[in-house]
Amino acid sequence: MRRSRWLLPAVLALTVLGVVALALSLSGRSQGEPDGGSAGPASASASIGATATATATPSPTLSPTPTPSPTPTPTATPTPSPTPTASPTEGVEDAEARRRFVEFQQRLIADAAEVQASSQAMTDAAQAQDDPATVAAAVDVLDFVDRERDWLASHPSAPCYATAHASAGAMLLAYAAVADAVLAYAGATGLDRLEALATVAERADAARVSLSQLQAAVESATCPG
């Protein structure tokens, strides 16, 4: 059983490292990007072209002999189309969507810290072969997952970050699956324990994939405001 004693902490550590990376990414994104920017290549080219036109010296040309031109026939002036304007409520809705997105990110940052601590507790207990402590840590994870899923349900997303919101729910389910596998591992003996360990490894890898998907969804979300 020496091999399983050290492999389980290594598997759980994958989840811890993924959560740390997610927390760092979200911490940077939640601060927003600076306003303003420099002119791009197109605007620079236009500026250079305008300068060249203004400074160029025109070549002398012969003036053609003026000829009478026919009187133009007056045409009807087209009626200008009304310029669309934003709905009075559009700006309010954008600001609300942005506020909810920031709140969602802040929740993820706080969750990442708790997940890291819970994963570390499971790792330490498994490394010490302390099955009761391992069970207690896994139960704490399941309680955490239930609480955060309730929070997501009571804080529905705006369309601009709906994918990230759904990915957070999927990540919680994947993390709960790891905890369930750890519970089975702690209660198993002999060959069943090795089989349970393989399940932990499989589900930890799935949790790692869910973390990556959540991080990508958060980074690609763009909420106005």
Side-chain angles (χ1 to χ4, degrees):
M1 301 306 297
R2 182 178 182 83
R3 179 172 176 269
S4 64
R5 174 184 176 184
W6 295 107
L7 182 56
L8 179 60
V11 168
L12 294 178
L14 290 176
T15 305
V16 175
L17 290 175
V19 170
V20 171
L22 175 64
L24 291 175
S25 173
L26 292 176
S27 295
R29 180 173 172 79
S30 65
Q31 295 173 3
E33 297 178 355
D35 296 330
S38 58
S43 61
S45 299
S47 176
I48 293 173
T51 302
T53 303
T55 57
T57 303
S59 301
T61 56
L62 296 176
S63 300
T65 302
T67 57
S69 57
T71 303
T73 302
T75 57
T77 303
T79 303
S81 301
T83 303
T85 57
S87 168
T89 61
E90 189 172 315
V92 176
E93 292 173 353
D94 288 349
E96 174 62 13
R98 177 64 184 174
R99 184 195 67 76
R100 287 159 61 185
F101 183 42
V102 170
E103 181 183 26
F104 171 73
Q105 292 179 84
Q106 291 173 341
R107 186 77 178 194
L108 288 182
I109 293 171
D111 286 352
E114 187 167 348
V115 168
Q116 180 187 357
S118 298
S119 298
Q120 190 63 55
M122 285 195 295
T123 299
D124 293 343
Q127 184 172 345
Q129 299 189 66
D130 186 343
D131 289 340
T134 302
V135 169
V139 169
D140 285 344
V141 169
L142 294 176
D143 289 342
F144 161 81
V145 169
D146 286 343
R147 185 180 72 246
E148 293 311 299
R149 291 187 68 198
D150 287 344
W151 187 91
L152 287 176
S154 63
H155 293 76
S157 71
C160 59
Y161 70 97
T163 299
H165 192 276
S167 294
M171 173 58 215
L172 287 170
L173 290 177
Y175 192 41
V178 173
D180 282 334
V182 170
L183 284 174
Y185 168 85
T189 58
L191 293 178
D192 289 341
R193 197 169 178 93
L194 286 174
E195 187 174 334
L197 174 64
T199 301
V200 172
E202 179 182 338
R203 293 184 180 181
D205 188 60
R208 179 184 56 79
V209 173
S210 291
L211 271 169
S212 298
Q213 293 173 341
L214 172 57
Q215 181 170 348
V218 171
E219 291 178 346
S220 63
T222 304
C223 290

